[in-house]
Amino acid sequence: MEKNETRPCTLSAEKEIVAVARKDFPALFDSLWANGFRILGPTLGEGAIVYDELHGVDDLPSGWTDEQDGATYRLKKRSDEALFGYNVGPHAWKKFLFPPKLRLWRAEASNNGLNIIEEKQTEQKFALIGVKACELKAILIQDQVFLGGEYADPIYQNRRKDALLIAVNCTQAGKTCFCVSMNAGPRVESGFDLCLTEVLAEDAHYFIVEIGSEQGAGIMANVPHSNQTQGAEKAIQAIATNTAQQMGRVMDTENIQALLQDNFEHSRWDDVASRCLTCANCTMACPTCFCSTVEDVTDITGDHAERWRQWDSCFTMDFTYMNHGHARASAKSRYRQWMTHKLSTWFDQFGTSGCVGCGRCITWCPVAIDITEEVSAIRANQTGGKPASSSL
Ligand code: SF4
Ligand code: SF4
């Protein structure tokens, strides 16, 4: 497979906009199934709104929302039947495109020697429904990571090339959201096949649907819709403006690359290290983190071996273990590496920020460490300090 085979969304200059009544929304699922897609999206599970396979519109978290803050997540009933009226939860879409644990190959001993059996890749096409603006940006960042260089990751490439992205504009923001600061939302701008804006008026429940690609248009051809969408653009913009005003957090990103590079020995790194458990929750929940490791396992007879790839984290001790020992032995060096990579050296590597302001690392940190607060603390009292080679 050649690199950069990801199917581009063919956005037209003038996006077509249609409207779909709530009662006709199941037809979107029918159309996706008829076109061979497996539908993945938000549903209730594990005491949260998580991403899983959907078997019908009834699997969506109708009438549910969430309350979030540092180290806090709580499901809550809404006063309406909104299907997408929640903030991002603990799962990121990367779990489908870059699976947490995957066998790469097996080896079986036989009389003729070792027989290597490559793992068969999935042939299923995914439709991801409910992708928020910050999450869409995170997918585009992971495209850059896995497909943008000289070598493409074949597993990611295979899953991504036929993935249909059905985005949803956020109609509310949570207390840990700061996508506006990261220029990643709240309005979905591009990169989608279809983009939904859910409208709940006193006597109406419907979706404004922006069509972003030919494939998206093909899916909509089988969904009853109205082309009478006067004022739709204004309505979408009003919802986005209202959501932007609800952002729970802000990050000042001015000159942030230099800020972190020039404060490598700031006392705040000791402070955050005294609170950080190095549990790696933040990296597991983060939609852009991409570190992985490989592990070989064998059975007791030695006739059967397997190689597995699984998510890893710059917070684990073994992640940087080399023959001389651990490259980042302290919690301070590991937290500093994570945050500096996200907000500074990611630009050098991939030309973008590694943070989209989704707030997951704040909500799911068991001790409520807050990346926006850490940046503010360093900015407020810049004590400097270029890296000493011994402090890496
Ligand atoms: S910052 Fe929080 S979530 Fe991340 S490793 Fe430290 S304690 Fe865990
Ligand atoms: S660093 Fe935190 S806020 Fe930024 S994208 Fe990752 S989880 Fe979201």
Side-chain angles (χ1 to χ4, degrees):
M1 196 178 300
E2 295 301 313
K3 86 180 182 76
N4 290 336
E5 245 186 59
T6 303
R7 180 180 54 80
C9 291
T10 49
L11 281 167
S12 58
E14 281 293 314
K15 273 178 296 193
E16 195 188 341
I17 301 184
V18 300
V20 175
R22 168 64 182 86
K23 72 173 175 48
D24 293 324
F25 196 65
L28 175 61
F29 278 51
D30 293 337
S31 181
L32 291 167
W33 285 320
N35 281 278
F37 286 100
R38 183 177 162 207
I39 305 175
L40 308 170
T43 193
L44 292 176
E46 304 165 34
I49 294 169
V50 295
Y51 296 149
D52 207 340
E53 179 155 12
L54 303 182
H55 301 285
V57 171
D58 288 349
D59 284 347
L60 288 166
S62 171
W64 285 95
T65 190
D66 54 81
E67 274 180 355
Q68 302 189 37
D69 209 338
T72 302
Y73 182 98
R74 189 171 295 122
L75 282 177
K76 206 178 142 196
K77 267 307 245 176
R78 293 175 61 95
S79 58
D80 57 30
E81 296 303 313
L83 300 182
F84 298 98
Y86 54 84
N87 306 298
V88 295
H91 290 188
W93 298 102
K94 70 179 181 181
K95 70 178 261 197
F96 302 114
L97 301 174
F98 165 50
K101 192 165 183 186
L102 197 73
R103 188 167 57 194
L104 300 175
W105 49 259
R106 292 176 288 135
E108 303 285 354
S110 71
N111 292 338
N112 302 326
L114 207 57
N115 189 15
I116 304 276
I117 305 144
E118 290 287 337
E119 200 64 15
K120 202 165 171 275
Q121 296 218 26
T122 180
E123 286 168 9
Q124 188 101 50
K125 299 190 292 182
F126 301 132
L128 311 184
I129 186 166
V131 183
K132 310 270 182 142
C134 64
E135 301 186 295
L136 189 53
K137 181 136 188 194
I139 291 173
L140 300 180
I141 289 172
Q142 286 213 323
D143 285 352
Q144 181 70 12
V145 170
F146 288 114
L147 308 174
E150 200 174 335
Y151 301 101
D153 181 301
I155 298 165
Y156 185 91
Q157 188 173 47
N158 176 56
R159 288 167 171 256
R160 178 70 173 92
K161 69 178 168 35
D162 295 320
L164 190 92
L165 302 181
I166 305 180
V168 168
N169 278 312
C170 287
T171 52
Q172 60 176 57
K175 280 191 186 161
T176 57
C177 293
F178 59 101
C179 65
V180 168
S181 302
M182 308 315 288
N183 203 18
R187 180 163 181 185
V188 177
E189 301 283 357
S190 61
F192 57 86
D193 292 286
L194 297 171
C195 178
L196 314 175
T197 303
E198 186 168 21
V199 181
L200 283 130
E202 223 161 72
D203 52 354
H205 185 178
Y206 64 97
F207 295 88
I208 301 169
V209 183
E210 296 168 82
I211 299 174
S213 72
E214 280 166 25
Q215 198 171 13
I219 295 294
M220 285 308 295
N222 301 318
V223 180
H225 61 262
S226 156
N227 292 318
Q228 301 297 313
T229 52
Q230 244 187 349
E233 174 56 38
K234 217 168 146 192
I236 298 170
Q237 202 45 51
I239 286 170
T241 303
N242 186 44
T243 305
Q245 285 164 356
Q246 294 174 19
M247 290 288 128
R249 298 286 203 275
V250 171
M251 185 188 282
D252 178 358
T253 58
E254 195 184 343
N255 219 8
I256 196 158
Q257 283 176 267
L259 176 78
L260 296 180
Q261 293 298 323
D262 294 345
N263 285 280
F264 200 78
E265 297 298 347
H266 198 288
S267 57
R268 187 70 183 190
W269 300 121
D270 291 304
D271 183 282
V272 70
S274 71
R275 290 173 281 133
C276 177
L277 310 174
T278 66
C279 67
N281 262 17
C282 48
T283 52
M284 298 295 117
C286 178
T288 65
C289 277
F290 59 85
C291 289
S292 65
T293 188
V294 288
E295 193 174 49
D296 292 340
V297 291
T298 181
D299 69 359
I300 201 160
T301 65
D303 287 343
H304 176 90
E306 297 184 350
R307 172 162 289 181
W308 287 78
R309 183 179 83 176
Q310 63 186 59
W311 288 357
D312 203 347
S313 166
C314 52
F315 279 98
T316 67
M317 193 72 159
D318 285 347
F319 188 64
T320 56
Y321 184 81
M322 289 184 277
N323 56 0
H324 74 284
H326 299 283
R328 295 189 200 101
S330 67
K332 171 185 172 180
S333 63
R334 299 209 284 285
Y335 187 87
R336 180 176 55 195
Q337 152 63 25
W338 175 72
M339 193 170 113
T340 306
H341 188 209
K342 282 277 155 213
L343 301 172
S344 180
T345 50
W346 203 293
F347 283 97
D348 305 330
Q349 225 180 338
F350 304 113
T352 71
S353 170
C355 176
V356 295
C358 72
R360 286 182 176 90
C361 58
I362 306 170
T363 298
W364 298 97
C365 174
V367 290
I369 290 172
D370 177 343
I371 189 171
T372 66
E373 202 179 303
E374 298 310 314
V375 169
S376 296
I378 290 173
R379 195 181 285 286
N381 172 28
Q382 296 184 41
T383 51
K386 288 283 186 190
S389 57
S390 60
S391 58
L392 289 170

